[in-house]
Amino acid sequence: MASVNKLNPGLWHISLPFQGEQEVIGAYVLSGKDEVALIDPGPETTLESLLALLQETEIVPEKVTHILLTHIHLDHAGGVGTLLHTMPNARVLVHSKGAPHLKDPAKLLTSAKRVYKDRMQELWGKVEAVPEENIQVIEGGDVLNIAGRRLEVHYSPGHASHHVVFYDVHTGELFAGDAAGVHLPGVDYVRPPTPPPDVDIEAWSATVDLLKRLHPDVLYLAHFGPIRNTIPYLERFRAQLFAWGDIVLGGLQEGKSEAEIVELLIARTQPELQRKGANAEIMKRYDLATNYEMTVQGYIRYWKKQHPERLSSK
Ligand SMILES: [Zn+2]
């Protein structure tokens, strides 16, 4: 595939090569009316590629006026502080719950270290703070007139408490971040990305209802790319979110350890991925986008925090 795909006039999708793999992490570029916006520019480890690939869209970094974040996880936003050195005038738009962690990433890094341990540097590189003067706090209900578009901001918790989606009502395009799951090119399969600490299945299900009500023509996933059959896709995603949650809950009820639950989840879910024709390379890309350990940690935390009463009942 090309690393830069022109989706529409004034809209590009860039594949950021991550750990040697394409089509795992993507950024979107919007351009119009003398403004340029990047959506989820990615971690620091892929910034060099991002800047090189931007040249293919004939956009010079200094011209970037806005950086829109669906949420602040490192694979979406870890590189923003560093990126601002090359686009100092860009305003960074982020939900009010995410903004403090851009200004001071310490807590975010502590939480990410629990998941990624000694692989932090290799995966994400540097995580620099974003200067307060660059940050513009957004909330659900806001309307952004950016790059010739009218983008509605919709608060969409579930994957993260600081998640928003951006919906262009005129074109029917919805920039979904991680709110609609992970679906990678090459196989028709959807995986729920459920990292700790604030996965919330009920909130996420309500977000799926919201996305269905908006009825977009296309969902632009961060991992990875456009999904067009949006309503059936969203239902499939929600079913998977619940089903994986039930597998983890079952493991907890049987007193299994975290490592045992990871094994259980792989045993119960990987056959479907294989049946759909995934080869080793696609499996690796799914694991890079959202790995089983992280998934299990997120669900375990959710069940223990939100539903301790269900842990013992069968
Ligand atoms: Zn995320």
Side-chain angles (χ1 to χ4, degrees):
M1 66 153 296
S3 294
V4 178
N5 269 319
K6 188 164 188 174
L7 297 169
N8 273 319
L11 174 63
W12 294 265
H13 183 210
I14 295 184
S15 173
L16 302 170
F18 181 60
Q19 305 292 301
E21 294 293 329
Q22 290 287 358
E23 300 184 324
V24 174
I25 296 181
Y28 294 91
V29 184
L30 314 176
S31 164
K33 296 219 167 139
D34 287 329
E35 292 183 327
V36 177
L38 303 180
I39 300 182
D40 290 353
E44 194 260 350
T45 44
T46 57
L47 282 192
E48 218 174 288
S49 309
L50 173 69
L51 292 171
L53 293 165
L54 264 182
Q55 288 186 347
E56 287 187 34
T57 66
E58 293 176 8
I59 285 168
V60 278
E62 295 76 30
K63 290 277 162 81
V64 172
T65 50
H66 300 82
I67 297 172
L68 275 57
L69 301 178
T70 60
H71 64 304
I72 57 159
H73 286 160
L74 297 173
D75 53 334
H76 297 250
V80 172
T82 311
L83 190 58
L84 287 175
H85 298 309
T86 52
M87 30 191 88
N89 300 319
R91 270 188 291 162
V92 180
L93 282 70
V94 61
H95 187 259
S96 55
K97 286 192 174 155
H101 304 289
L102 288 187
K103 280 183 241 172
D104 177 7
K107 258 173 90 177
L108 180 70
L109 289 173
T110 306
S111 148
K113 264 179 212 150
R114 272 187 224 122
V115 177
Y116 299 105
K117 307 199 170 71
D118 57 354
R119 299 190 64 212
M120 287 289 288
Q121 182 62 30
E122 172 199 351
L123 292 169
W124 316 123
K126 250 192 304 185
V127 179
E128 291 188 61
V130 177
E132 179 148 24
E133 57 269 27
N134 288 87
I135 295 177
Q136 180 181 336
V137 171
I138 52 175
E139 305 283 356
D142 287 354
V143 174
L144 310 170
N145 289 298
I146 290 176
R149 287 171 180 258
R150 186 177 184 277
L151 295 172
E152 292 178 357
V153 178
H154 292 274
Y155 183 49
S156 47
H159 172 76
S161 61
H162 44 78
H163 200 295
V164 293
V165 298
F166 302 103
Y167 185 42
D168 185 330
V169 192
H170 295 304
T171 65
E173 294 166 301
L174 190 141
F175 298 91
D178 288 351
V182 168
H183 182 286
L184 302 182
V187 57
D188 186 19
Y189 178 76
V190 56
R191 185 182 281 195
T194 62
D198 47 22
V199 165
D200 183 326
I201 297 177
E202 286 90 348
W204 207 336
S205 184
T207 287
V208 171
D209 286 333
L210 163 79
L211 297 179
K212 285 178 66 182
R213 273 200 309 278
L214 295 174
H215 210 305
D217 290 331
V218 56
L219 295 164
Y220 290 131
L221 307 185
H223 320 283
F224 179 96
I227 297 279
R228 289 186 195 280
N229 211 353
T230 59
I231 302 299
Y233 170 82
L234 285 164
E235 275 309 336
R236 270 173 69 199
F237 161 65
R238 173 156 49 194
Q240 202 81 315
L241 176 71
F242 287 152
W244 285 42
D246 287 344
I247 294 170
V248 174
L249 179 63
L252 286 170
Q253 288 170 339
E254 285 167 23
K256 289 188 192 300
S257 69
E258 185 182 306
E260 288 168 338
I261 294 174
V262 170
E263 273 177 45
L264 173 74
L265 187 65
I266 292 174
R268 295 274 298 276
T269 62
Q270 228 169 40
E272 184 194 351
L273 185 53
Q274 282 158 340
R275 229 174 21 248
K276 300 227 167 180
N279 55 27
E281 190 256 330
I282 290 176
M283 310 251 256
K284 183 182 167 203
R285 287 200 281 122
Y286 268 97
D287 279 339
L288 277 173
T290 174
N291 67 61
Y292 284 103
E293 288 78 10
M294 182 194 78
T295 301
V296 166
Q297 285 173 18
Y299 275 121
I300 288 180
R301 193 182 153 98
Y302 160 77
W303 288 120
K304 287 189 172 168
K305 212 169 79 180
Q306 307 282 349
H307 294 286
E309 79 288 353
R310 296 196 60 182
L311 297 182
S312 49
S313 65
K314 275 237 82 174

